[in-house]
Amino acid sequence: MKALGSVSGNVMATGQLFSKTTQALFYNYKQLPIQRMLDFDFLCGRETPSVAGIINPGSEGFQKLFFGQEEIAIPVHSTIEAACAAHPKADVFINFASFRSAAASSMSALKQPTIKVVAIIAEGVPESDTKQLIAYAKANNKVVIGPATVGGIQAGAFKIGDTAGTIDNIIQCKLYRPGSVGFVSKSGGMSNELYNTIARVTDGIYEGIAIGGDVFPGSTLSDHVLRFNNIPQVKMIVVLGELGGRDEYSLVEALKQGKINKPVVAWVSGTCARLFKSEVQFGHAGAKSGGEMESAQAKNQALKEAGAVVPTSYEAFESAIKETFEKLAEAGKITPVKEVTPPQIPEDLNTAIKSGKVRAPTHIISTISDDRGEEPTYAGVPMSSIVEQGLGVGDVISLLWFKRSLPRYCTRFIEICIMLCADHGPCVSGAHNTIVTARAGKDLVSSLVSGLLTIGPRFGGAIDDAARYFKDAYDRGLTPYEFVESMKKKGIRVPGIGHRIKRGDNRDKRVELLQRFARSNFPSVKYMEYAVEVETYTLSKANNLVLNVDGAIGSLFLDLLAGSGMFTKQEIDEIVEIGYLNGLFVLARSIGLIGHTFRPKETEAATFTATMEDVLYTK
C-alpha cells in the first residue's frame, strides 16, 4: 500500500539530497532564517555560504548578512528565472512565500532545470495545488519537502531555514558534525525535540527531514526512509509519525518486502486520541484519525509486526533508540564519531548589548529632541505642551537652537526676523538662482539648494560676522572711528554696513522696524546703539554706508542674548562663532526661495537663457 504522492524517482533512490557544497535560492526574503542558515554554515566549517541568492519579486540588489565574522552581500533577484540563471549550481529552492502564492512559485521553481529540491514552508496550501506539485515533481525526478514544513538538515553540511532552531540548540544536538542516524518526521517542532533526544543516546543525526503536517506531503516518510537506506553513513533510522492518513503503511510495506535492511525505530504519536469521544484535530491538517487504520495504535502495531522497533509509549522512545544504537556499536557496525569543537559564532551587536555582554559607544548625541517616549519632546518640552500653550515658531527655534524657553519678546523678535528676511524680490542672487533652476525643470529641493548656496558674506551671510565684529569692538571699548579705521587698515569691509540701494536719507524699513521693536521690548540695546554710532561715522564717508538688515539683526541678537540673562558670556561667544545667526537668514530666506520655485512651475515658464545684451564679449 503506497501513500498518495510518493516521489520515488532517481533523486530519492540515490539517497543523498544535500552536501557540504549544496547551495540554495531563498524565495521571499526573511532575515532571521537566512542568517541562521549562514551561521550554521560557519559552524560546520563550510567554505561558501549555503544561500547563493535571494528572490524578492520586483526587487533587485543585495542584502547584507554575516558569514561568521565577515559581512557579505547576497544578490537579490526579482524573478525565479533570473536567480536560477545567475546561480546555476544552486539546486535547492527554499520557499517562504505565503500559502496564497506558494504553489505558483514552487511550480515555477520545479520547472527550472537547475532546481532538484523544493522546500515549501507555508501551511495551508490548497490541496489541489499540492497534488499538482507532487505529480510534476514525480514526473520530472524532483523532490518536494512540505508544505507546512520547517525543512530539513544534513548535520555538518546544510540546513533549510529555521530547521533545528537556534545555534545553541544546534550545538546541544551536535548537528555541526554528522552522526549515524537518519531521522524523518511529520512535525517540525517534534523534530527539534528528537534531534536533542537522539544526540543524548547516540552519536547524533546524519540527516533529518520534517515532511510537513498537511494531508498531502510532497514526499512521504517512506520516501525518505528508503533514501536513508541507500546512504552508507546512515546506520539506523528513526521515524516519528502521527495519527491520521496512511503514510506509515507505505513504510510497513517497504519493511515487509525487505527493501529496508537497516534498523528502524518508529513511533506514531496520537495514541491519546482514543480517550476522546469525538474526532479530534491534533494541530496539523493531516493529524486526525479517519478510521481505525489511521489511529496511532493501529499504525504502531503494523510497524511492529513489519519488523520496526516500536516502544510501548513515547516515553520509552528514547530507550528504544539508545538500545538499538548500542547493539550496532557492540556489533562494530558504527565507527565512533570524532568529536570536534565548533567555532564560536560571533554574536550580533544588538543582541549582545541587550543581554548586557558588551557596551558600545553611540554615534550621535542628541541634546535638543527626543522621540523615545509617547510623544516627541523639544528640549524636554512635550509636543502637546507646545501646541496647547499656543507657542509659535520662535518658541520652537528657541527650544531646538538654544535649548531653553526664551522670554516671549525674544521669540517674537526671532519671528519678526524670519518674516522680514523671508524674501527680497526675484533679482537677488539666491532668488535668481532658484528661479533659473526651477525653470530648467529641476525639483523643489534642487531649486531651493541652488539658491541657498549663494548665501555667504556678500549675500545674507553677514549676520554672524556683523555680530562678531560689533561685539569685539564694543567689548574692547573701541570708538566707532577706531573700529572702522582698524577694519580699513586690515582691508576688511565692516559687515552689516552698506547697501546697494538704500541711503542715509532712504533707510531700510526693515532695520527701522527691528530697532523700534527692540527699543520697546529689550532690557538693553547697547550693541544696537553702538552699531548706530558706527553707522553715523560711516555715513560721513559715503551716503550708502547705512546699517543694513544683517547689521541690525546681528547687533540686536547680541542684545537679546546678553539682555535676557539666560546665556553666559562663553555661550554667547559660541553662538556667534558657530553660526546660529546666519541660520536665521537661511531659515527665513528658504520660505521665499520655495515660493520662487513654485511660480515658474505654475506658469510653465521656459528654460531661462541670458541674451547677448547681458554679456560683455571681450577679446
Side-chain angles (χ1 to χ4, degrees), residues 26-31 33-34 54-57 94-98 101:
F26 197 103
Y27 188 89
N28 196 19
Y29 176 72
K30 305 287 182 186
Q31 191 269 341
I34 296 178
I54 298 166
I55 303 160
N56 243 12
I94 302 172
N95 195 344
F96 266 77
S98 72
S101 60

Side-chain angles (χ1 to χ4, degrees), residues 137-195:
K138 182 178 180 181
N140 291 273
N141 188 30
K142 300 196 176 187
V143 176
V144 174
I145 302 173
T149 181
V150 71
I153 186 169
Q154 183 173 320
F158 176 83
K159 90 179 185 89
I160 294 172
D162 289 316
T163 302
T166 65
I167 287 296
D168 288 341
N169 188 64
I170 286 170
I171 292 173
Q172 188 173 0
C173 296
K174 302 177 182 178
L175 294 168
Y176 51 85
R177 52 87 174 139
S180 303
V181 181
F183 171 73
V184 62
S185 167
K186 287 187 176 181
S187 168
M190 288 304 296
S191 293
N192 283 352
E193 179 68 27
L194 264 294
Y195 293 151

Side-chain angles (χ1 to χ4, degrees), residues 388-407:
E388 290 165 1
Q389 293 179 46
L391 302 183
V393 172
D395 300 284
V396 171
I397 291 173
S398 79
L399 292 170
L400 291 178
W401 290 17
F402 303 106
K403 297 185 290 185
R404 62 204 75 189
S405 293
L406 295 175

